[in-house]
């Protein structure tokens, strides 16, 4: 009887270990007053009052951090538009010109996905648009913005509400970052997590995976 019980316990523990993955994460909360490891590509960026700020300026102003080898990962941050209409999170940046960005469009209450490319700061293609789901995007308010990238699929969540997903296969890996277009914006608690991210290790349950999470939301 004891042997059977021991066997059952071992199987149970093995199931937990197999079903639970581990992902590293890197977090920037800017409390140190600097962003030394960030690379400004375009725009006037600074750390002010513990947040990473973009002064209102030109088009496609952005700053990146991390490794160009990052493939599948989740990037999230608190985002606030202070002045203007367009700001968000960039990802899979293979260069200063080549990257994706999901950004808030305040006037139309939607989020747009664009692919930037070589040829100039404003050389880009529109991949798609996601209408605001249970969220109203306004100037002066903080929003928890999260982008989950798996393969060619890029899903967006705002304040815990899944907005939808879009796909493209141009860029398969790259850095993450922050972005604005003729807009003053603030960013805080910027975090990148995933199996390839070196940093503190955090358990990731299967229910956190993109396909499972999005499927569960669509079935409600």
């Amino acid at each position: 009887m004891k042997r059977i019980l021991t066997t059952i316990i071992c199987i149970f523990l093995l199931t937990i270990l197999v079903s639970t993955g581990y992902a590293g994460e890197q977090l920037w909360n800017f409390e140190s007053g600097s962003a030394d490891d960030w690379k400004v590509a375009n725009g006037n960026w600074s750390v002010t009052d513990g947040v990473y700020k973009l002064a209102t300026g030109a088009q496609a102003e952005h700053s990146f951090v991390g490794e160009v080898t990052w493939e599948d990962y989740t990037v999230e941050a608190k985002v606030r538009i202070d002045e203007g209409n367009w700001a968000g999170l960039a990802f899979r940046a293979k260069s200063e010109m080549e990257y994706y960005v999901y950004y808030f469009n305040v006037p139309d209450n939607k989020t747009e996905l664009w692919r930037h490319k070589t040829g100039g700061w404003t050389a880009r293609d529109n991949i798609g648009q996601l209408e605001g789901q249970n969220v109203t995007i306004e100037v002066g308010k903080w929003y928890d913005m999260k982008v989950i990238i798996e393969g060619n699929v890029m899903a967006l969540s705002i304040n815990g509400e899944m907005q939808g997903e879009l796909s493209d296969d141009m860029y398969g890996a790259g850095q993450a970052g922050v972005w604005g277009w003729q807009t003053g914006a603030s960013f805080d608690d910027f975090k990148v997590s995933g199996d390839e991210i070196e940093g503190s290790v955090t358990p990731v349950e299967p229910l956190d995976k993109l396909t499972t999470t999005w499927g569960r939301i669509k079935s409600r």
Side-chain angles (χ1 to χ4, degrees), residues 24-154:
E25 66 176 39
Q26 294 186 20
L27 171 67
W28 291 266
N29 58 22
F30 307 108
E31 291 181 355
S32 66
S34 68
D36 293 339
D37 45 352
W38 286 72
K39 182 178 180 181
V40 173
N42 187 26
N44 184 6
W45 295 85
S46 64
V47 178
T48 305
D49 298 327
V51 300
Y52 199 31
K53 296 183 72 70
L54 169 64
T56 305
Q59 300 168 329
E61 299 185 314
H62 50 290
S63 180
F64 295 144
V65 72
E67 305 295 333
V68 295
T69 56
W70 287 351
E71 295 181 5
D72 292 350
Y73 57 86
T74 296
V75 55
E76 53 193 300
K78 296 183 183 300
V79 181
R80 184 184 68 198
I81 294 179
D82 301 320
E83 180 184 6
N85 295 308
W86 308 285
L89 300 180
F91 48 95
R92 280 193 176 168
K94 59 180 296 184
S95 73
E96 293 182 342
M97 299 289 186
E98 302 165 290
Y99 61 91
Y100 294 107
V101 58
Y102 261 124
Y103 69 81
F104 292 149
N105 178 329
V106 175
D108 298 326
N109 195 48
K110 62 186 179 183
T111 308
E112 302 185 28
L113 175 63
W114 289 78
R115 178 182 62 220
H116 281 251
K117 55 190 180 182
T118 56
W121 296 128
T122 61
R124 58 180 188 158
D125 301 313
N126 182 230
I127 304 301
Q129 304 175 9
L130 299 174
E131 299 293 335
Q133 303 294 322
N134 299 317
V135 63
T136 301
I137 304 169
E138 302 176 30
V139 173
K141 295 182 64 174
W142 284 103
Y143 295 90
D144 294 322
M145 189 175 190
K146 177 187 290 187
V147 181
I148 307 165
I149 309 112
E150 290 186 10
N152 297 334
V153 180
M154 294 157 277

Side-chain angles (χ1 to χ4, degrees), residues 13-33:
L13 293 175
L14 181 60
T15 301
I16 293 176
L17 289 173
V18 171
S19 62
T20 302
Y22 286 87
E25 66 176 39
Q26 294 186 20
L27 171 67
W28 291 266
N29 58 22
F30 307 108
E31 291 181 355
S32 66

Side-chain angles (χ1 to χ4, degrees), residues 144-194:
D144 294 322
M145 189 175 190
K146 177 187 290 187
V147 181
I148 307 165
I149 309 112
E150 290 186 10
N152 297 334
V153 180
M154 294 157 277
L156 172 71
S157 171
I158 301 174
N159 289 348
E161 294 279 354
M162 188 63 75
Q163 304 297 298
E165 61 184 41
L166 296 166
S167 61
D168 188 71
D169 60 2
M170 180 67 74
Y171 306 138
Q175 297 176 294
V178 288
W179 184 98
W181 183 286
Q182 296 178 331
T183 293
S186 298
F187 302 86
D188 199 8
D189 297 336
F190 186 95
K191 182 170 71 173
V192 183
S193 58

